Amino acid sequence: MPRPPEPVTVVVAHADPGRRDQLVRWLESDGRFAVLGQADDASRATALVLDAVPDLGFIDVDLGPGSGPVADGIAALARLAAGRPGVRLVAVTEGDDDRAYAALVAGAIGCYQWDDPSSSAAELAAGVARGEGALTAGWAGRILDEIRWLSREPGPVPAPELTPTEQEVLRRTSKGTRSPAIAELHGVTTHLVNVHAGMAITKVWRHHDDIRQLQRLSGG
């Protein structure tokens, strides 16, 4: 008999205990996930993910530092992206704002907005585990704006080069079109649309990571 698939392992970190417990219940009740641990501040979240090495980390961007050295959820994402690049990171946010985009720059491959009625934490997590990105309209619009600006004002690191398909996914997502609708329009799978989204997100993160490395080398 074929063996059942191994569960996707997850660490959940959120400052609000009620929301943290809710995320854990949503994931565990789905049947596809095993929650390895929980954290309520950025330093504990960082230590837990570094130690447990889950498949996914759900990280609240508004985590406090606790008693450790990691200032907040954004800093935790940045440390984990550098220290555990195989862990796919999902930022948990209140809205699709500048702080949410800072999570992408830090290393998140997806964004779970708490009050988005059309977003399921379990479905988002399953897609991210399959290699997809979880774009928001705000992320998509900011990526397009940033690349346009970098094309006009080139810096020490070349602007990310997006394929026509990645640009199409970003344009439609920035206008509020969801991945299933984009997939139906082009006669492809939702998975493929989200893979292209993930590739665009990764290119932007790598651009910012290259800048960070240059700054470290120059002592900036």
Side-chain angles (χ1 to χ4, degrees):
M1 294 290 292
R3 295 178 60 186
E6 293 291 327
V8 175
T9 55
V10 189
V11 162
V12 175
H14 203 290
D16 184 293
R19 291 188 170 185
R20 187 171 64 252
D21 290 346
Q22 184 68 70
L23 276 171
V24 170
R25 284 196 300 270
W26 282 337
L27 293 169
E28 290 187 332
S29 65
D30 180 87
R32 290 175 287 182
F33 307 96
V35 176
L36 300 183
Q38 305 175 42
D40 59 1
D41 65 54
S43 298
R44 289 177 181 170
T46 302
L48 179 57
V49 173
L50 289 174
D51 181 58
V53 196
D55 299 310
L56 304 178
F58 271 71
I59 308 295
D60 171 21
V61 299
D62 292 323
L63 289 170
S67 59
V70 186
D72 58 15
I74 302 296
L77 287 164
R79 290 205 182 193
L80 294 172
R84 287 290 183 265
V87 178
R88 296 177 68 79
L89 300 169
V90 175
V92 183
T93 73
E94 289 292 328
D96 198 4
D97 54 14
D98 288 348
R99 195 152 176 77
Y101 193 69
L104 180 156
V105 171
I109 193 67
C111 182
Y112 177 72
Q113 296 177 74
W114 192 264
D115 292 326
D116 183 355
S118 63
S119 180
S120 159
E123 286 306 317
L124 185 149
V128 170
R130 291 192 298 266
E132 300 176 6
L135 267 177
T136 66
W139 275 20
R142 286 288 294 271
I143 290 172
L144 292 170
D145 288 345
E146 183 173 3
I147 290 176
R148 278 193 290 265
W149 182 82
L150 289 169
S151 298
R152 294 193 299 268
E153 302 287 340
V157 178
E161 293 187 8
L162 302 179
T163 67
T165 301
E166 290 162 4
Q167 294 177 44
E168 170 75 359
V169 169
L170 289 168
R171 279 194 297 268
R172 291 193 179 276
T173 303
S174 71
K175 295 176 182 177
T177 308
R178 298 278 178 172
S179 296
I182 298 172
E184 184 176 2
L185 181 66
H186 292 280
V188 298
T189 64
T190 301
H191 170 69
L192 184 59
V193 171
N194 289 335
V195 166
H196 284 293
M199 292 171 71
I201 292 168
T202 300
K203 287 177 180 180
V204 173
W205 174 79
R206 285 177 176 162
H207 171 82
H208 284 275
D209 195 51
D210 286 345
I211 292 174
R212 287 188 288 264
Q213 291 193 43
L214 279 177
Q215 290 172 340
R216 284 193 289 269
L217 289 171
S218 64

